[in-house]
């Protein structure tokens, strides 16, 4: 691709969208940005760019004009828009605080909401399905223990969230067709080029769930720590697949490391 896009927003950097030219590895444009949480996606042809608006409660839109991006009016979207993916003319946006997936028609800007698990974080998709990682896991049932405030199932002994799930959505039917149990606090996901295998980073379990998308089953769980004896707390929260699909890179946010995972052996090289 020609461009990389990065969003900054913290106590250490101003809130902005940065466009990086891949060939020169230079920031060639920076645009002021309101609030955002997570979620940046280019259209297939690279001419449009979308950013989850977080507490701005919108989907931010940018388009390429004469080698620079300009901002279009955002699409209002309540629920703390977070991670997102594109599928044809649809933007699929995790609404972190309303526990829904927003299906946004980018042609007429209509929005349909689909209930998913608790505190959805991000989305990946192909032409017919979408997968949503639910930070807080499955919705509590009548016999589940919660803290009485948040809709999250907790361990009655510790009060710690005790489930993590991925919701699978049929985009034609606009409904959840499966909910897959993963490790705790599922965050980033990576889908292989044929949409056969889905990899899910479990930040509070220091693991990666490997999901067969045909059966909607976890077929393996990979330790994401860079050494087997490392204490719990590596917190893998971002993933990237190599072009040949043989290597998975997991960023361990809590110990500033990247686990290089051999997917044939199902283990980290270091």
């Amino acid at each position: 691709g020609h461009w990389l896009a990065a969003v900054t927003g913290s106590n250490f950097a101003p809130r902005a969208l940065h466009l990086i030219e891949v060939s020169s590895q230079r920031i060639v444009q920076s645009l002021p940005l309101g609030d955002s949480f997570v979620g940046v996606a280019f259209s297939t042809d690279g001419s449009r760019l979308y950013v989850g608006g977080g507490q701005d409660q919108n989907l931010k839109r940018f388009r390429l004009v004469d080698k620079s991006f300009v901002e279009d009016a955002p699409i209002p979207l309540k629920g703390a828009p977070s991670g997102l993916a594109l599928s044809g003319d649809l933007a699929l946006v995790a609404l972190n605080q309303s526990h829904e997936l927003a299906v946004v028609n980018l042609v007429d800007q209509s929005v349909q909401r689909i209930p998913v698990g608790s505190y959805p974080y991000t989305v990946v998709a192909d032409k017919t399905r979408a997968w949503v990682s639910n930070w807080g896991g499955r919705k509590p049932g009548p016999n589940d223990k919660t803290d009485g405030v948040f809709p999250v199932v907790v361990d009655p002994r510790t009060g710690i969230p005790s489930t993590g799930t991925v919701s699978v959505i049929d985009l034609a039917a606009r409904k959840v067709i499966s909910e897959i149990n993963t490790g705790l606090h599922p965050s980033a996901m990576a889908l292989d080029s044929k949409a056969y295998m889905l990899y899910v980073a479990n930040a509070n379990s220091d693991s990666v769930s490997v999901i067969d998308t045909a059966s909607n089953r976890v077929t393996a769980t990979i330790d994401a720590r860079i050494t087997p004896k490392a204490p719990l707390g590596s917190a893998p929260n971002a993933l990237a697949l190599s072009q040949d699909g043989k290597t998975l890179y997991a960023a361990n946010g809590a110990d500033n490391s990247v686990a290089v995972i051999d997917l044939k052996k199902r283990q980290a090289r270091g």
Side-chain angles (χ1 to χ4, degrees), residues 3 47 71 82 87 98 133-135 163 180 192 204 206 243 251:
W3 303 97
S47 66
E71 186 170 7
S82 303
S87 179
S98 63
S133 59
N134 298 307
W135 262 359
T163 74
I180 305 167
D192 74 8
N204 283 4
D206 287 355
Q243 286 189 329

Side-chain angles (χ1 to χ4, degrees), residues 36-50:
S36 64
F37 174 42
V38 66
V40 180
F42 281 101
S43 61
T44 303
D45 64 3
S47 66
R48 294 184 179 273
L49 178 62
Y50 302 88

Side-chain angles (χ1 to χ4, degrees), residues 205-225:
S205 296
D206 287 355
S207 66
V208 174
S209 296
V210 181
I211 295 173
D212 180 323
T213 61
S215 64
N216 290 327
R217 293 181 59 189
V218 173
T219 60
T221 300
I222 303 171
D223 191 337
R225 295 173 297 176

Side-chain angles (χ1 to χ4, degrees), residues 21 34 46 52 54 67 75 87 126 129 131 171 201 205 239 255 263:
E21 186 180 58
K67 299 183 179 181
I75 298 174
S87 179
D126 64 7
R129 297 164 295 176
W131 294 264
L171 293 177
S205 296
L239 298 176
D255 57 17
L263 290 176

Side-chain angles (χ1 to χ4, degrees), residues 19 35 51 55 80-82 84 88 96 132 146 156 180 209 212 243 254:
L19 280 304
D35 193 63
V51 177
Q55 293 305 317
S82 303
L84 58 97
N96 183 260
V132 181
T146 71
I180 305 167
S209 296
D212 180 323
Q243 286 189 329

